[in-house]
Amino acid sequence: MTVLVLGQGGREHAIALAISRDPAVAAVHVAPGNPGTASFATNHPVDINDAEAVVELSRRIGADLVVIGPEVPLVAGVADAVRQAGIDCFGPGRQAARLEGSKAFAKEVMAAARVPTATAVSCVNLDEVAAALDRFGAPHVVKDDGLAAGKGVVVTSDQQAALNHAAHCLDAGHRVVVEEFLKGPEVSLFAICDGQLALPLQPAQDFKRVGNGGTGPNTGGMGAYTPLPWAPDDLVEQVGREVIRPTLAEMRRRGTPFQGLLYVGLALTAEGPKVVEFNVRFGDPETEPLLSLLTSPLAQVMRAAARGDLSGFGGLEFRRGFAVGVVLASQGYPGTPTTGGPITGAQAPDGGPDPDVIHAGTALAADGRLVSAGGRVLVALGHGETLTGARQAAYARLARIDLPGGFHRDDIALTAAEEEAFNAMSEPNGPSAKDSRESPEDGGNQG
């Protein structure tokens, strides 16, 4: 089959690369793509938020399947236009994409489906926000109701900072959702859905704060790893039973079945897993390490989901071991990043493309040099039989890459790796990794 992937970031690079490994795929196209996808796919300079342009490109290249990466075209209804053109499309339609496009709507669906989540209040002015902050107390969790590129959430004990964030959201014409704080490590669980059935991927964890130890402002994510040795053995089964299946049933009841990728952001609280947020597409940067371990034929699974029938697949398979992804970011990120800086060392030792260097915000200068073109520039992947080995491989790969002013976190998956090393040295009946579910900082509604 011929597959078109829409998007230009690290998520889309990772998706397209995984699709290219599917033996049923003859050609991969990416729009607009990046220099990384150009090494194995055909890039097209198309506005992916323009439904007519996407349909025209799909027809011109003979696409059998269109995969929509980012949330903006999904919320805009591009998937609806592709399906109306008679082309299989992996991604929810406009109405189903409201699960990410509006946090208030997602809360409404969760309440109807009796999905465990944080108690929340939807606010339309600062007086309502202030009353909600007083009701829930600190730490305060304030969320932009609309799309905010992963930066719409503030978790703070400073009530004025919470009010300032709310005012910024309200000034943009968005409602504000104020939630109770959920204490516990956060976990990302993705599921490929056909409207009724769901195939979950293995859990992952990302690191939202910009600085080591969970300091500084929220970002789109500074790194991720999978699987999670400390997660409960029955986590995927429990979330499927209590969250995913009830949500899919509620969306069907509303006449807007969800077909695509449901991202469930969870907090593992003392009362059990609770939903922090829903997204309607693969998360970034969790997708990069997750899909690097996937052995199931991704394009075939996506096409089956797009056609509303995953019954032919019993589950998704992953190769053994761990994967760690570390983000290289531009100076100034997550504020205004410095762009145009030359990037060296991103190739494999033989000078060819390195499949474990995922391009997120890169471009080619007029002279053909690779340069930075965004806040998150690259993701360096590492794999290993142990989490410690995977971390070492990721950071060794990153050490070969140079970007003036670029920076990264040094502690991606560090706590879990230290726990792994401790357990390896313990007595057989000593402490288990599952006895400690502490992550460095990423508990607390940060989705």
Side-chain angles (χ1 to χ4, degrees):
M1 79 182 89
T2 295
V3 182
L4 170 63
V5 178
L6 302 186
Q8 64 182 4
R11 167 183 48 223
E12 290 77 33
H13 184 172
I15 291 171
L17 192 60
I19 285 172
S20 74
R21 296 195 294 263
D22 187 326
V25 171
V28 181
H29 298 256
V30 188
N34 61 43
T37 60
S39 67
F40 63 90
T42 304
N43 288 350
H44 301 270
V46 168
D47 179 358
I48 63 173
N49 300 315
D50 183 337
E52 289 186 9
V54 170
V55 169
E56 190 280 328
L57 173 62
S58 302
R59 286 174 170 160
R60 175 157 49 87
I61 65 174
D64 300 295
L65 174 68
V66 175
V67 178
I68 302 178
E71 61 274 24
V72 173
L74 289 168
V75 172
V78 172
D80 297 310
V82 173
R83 277 192 277 268
Q84 287 165 9
I87 302 168
D88 291 333
C89 185
F90 183 80
R94 183 199 304 267
Q95 292 301 316
R98 292 183 66 205
L99 281 175
E100 179 168 1
S102 169
K103 289 181 172 57
F105 174 76
K107 286 290 187 183
E108 180 186 309
V109 170
M110 283 187 265
R114 299 188 176 183
V115 167
T117 187
T119 304
V121 176
S122 180
C123 306
V124 297
N125 58 55
L126 276 181
D127 288 339
E128 292 180 354
V129 172
L133 294 175
D134 288 339
R135 171 186 169 185
F136 294 129
H140 305 294
V141 181
V142 181
K143 297 184 175 182
D144 190 328
D145 180 57
L147 298 179
K151 303 175 190 176
V153 181
V154 163
V155 181
T156 178
S157 294
D158 183 338
Q159 186 160 341
Q160 189 57 53
L163 285 168
N164 291 344
H165 179 64
H168 174 76
C169 299
L170 293 167
D171 288 344
H174 298 172
R175 286 182 295 178
V176 171
V177 175
V178 180
E179 295 186 353
E180 66 171 328
F181 178 80
L182 295 180
K183 181 174 176 55
E186 287 200 11
V187 173
S188 300
L189 183 63
F190 304 168
I192 294 175
C193 307
D194 68 3
Q196 181 169 348
L197 301 178
L199 297 180
L201 283 75
Q202 63 188 26
Q205 185 178 65
D206 75 334
F207 295 74
K208 290 290 188 186
R209 302 280 183 173
V210 72
N212 290 336
T215 57
N218 260 4
T219 71
M222 294 298 293
Y225 72 101
T226 185
L228 309 180
W230 46 267
D233 290 334
D234 63 348
L235 177 64
V236 174
E237 179 183 348
Q238 182 179 4
V239 174
R241 182 178 66 250
E242 298 180 358
V243 177
I244 298 172
R245 289 197 291 274
T247 299
L248 295 182
E250 175 61 20
M251 294 300 285
R252 287 198 310 277
R253 188 190 69 79
R254 290 168 179 253
T256 55
F258 187 93
Q259 291 173 264
L261 193 289
L262 182 64
Y263 169 126
V264 183
L266 299 158
L268 304 190
T269 74
E271 295 80 35
K274 293 187 178 183
V275 176
V276 172
E277 66 168 347
F278 285 142
N279 289 335
V280 299
R281 39 71 192 182
F282 283 95
D284 194 351
E286 302 100 313
T287 298
E288 288 89 322
L290 268 170
L291 293 189
S292 74
L293 294 179
L294 182 71
T295 58
S296 297
L298 183 59
Q300 295 176 56
V301 174
M302 287 178 160
R303 195 177 197 188
R307 291 179 167 182
D309 186 7
L310 283 169
S311 61
F313 296 90
L316 299 176
E317 300 292 333
F318 295 82
R319 61 186 169 102
R320 287 186 53 188
F322 294 85
V324 174
V326 183
V327 171
L328 174 64
S330 292
Q331 183 176 359
Y333 182 75
T336 302
T338 300
T339 58
I343 302 167
T344 57
Q347 297 81 19
D350 64 2
D354 187 339
D356 287 329
V357 174
I358 305 298
H359 291 237
T362 66
L364 293 180
D367 60 4
R369 291 183 305 158
L370 186 67
V371 297
S372 63
R376 293 185 295 174
V377 180
L378 297 167
V379 179
L381 294 175
H383 302 93
E385 286 296 315
T386 65
L387 188 53
T388 297
R391 285 192 79 251
Q392 290 172 343
Y395 280 104
R397 178 164 281 105
L398 193 61
R400 299 197 297 266
I401 302 172
D402 182 66
L403 170 64
F407 70 95
H408 62 271
R409 280 183 58 162
D410 299 312
D411 60 350
I412 304 302
L414 177 60
T415 299
E418 290 176 339
E419 185 100 34
E420 174 188 72
F422 172 78
N423 289 336
M425 294 185 293
S426 299
E427 294 294 327
N429 296 322
S432 163
K434 297 186 190 303
D435 295 330
S436 176
R437 297 179 184 169
E438 293 301 316
S439 60
E441 80 290 336
D442 288 315
N445 312 50
Q446 294 194 48

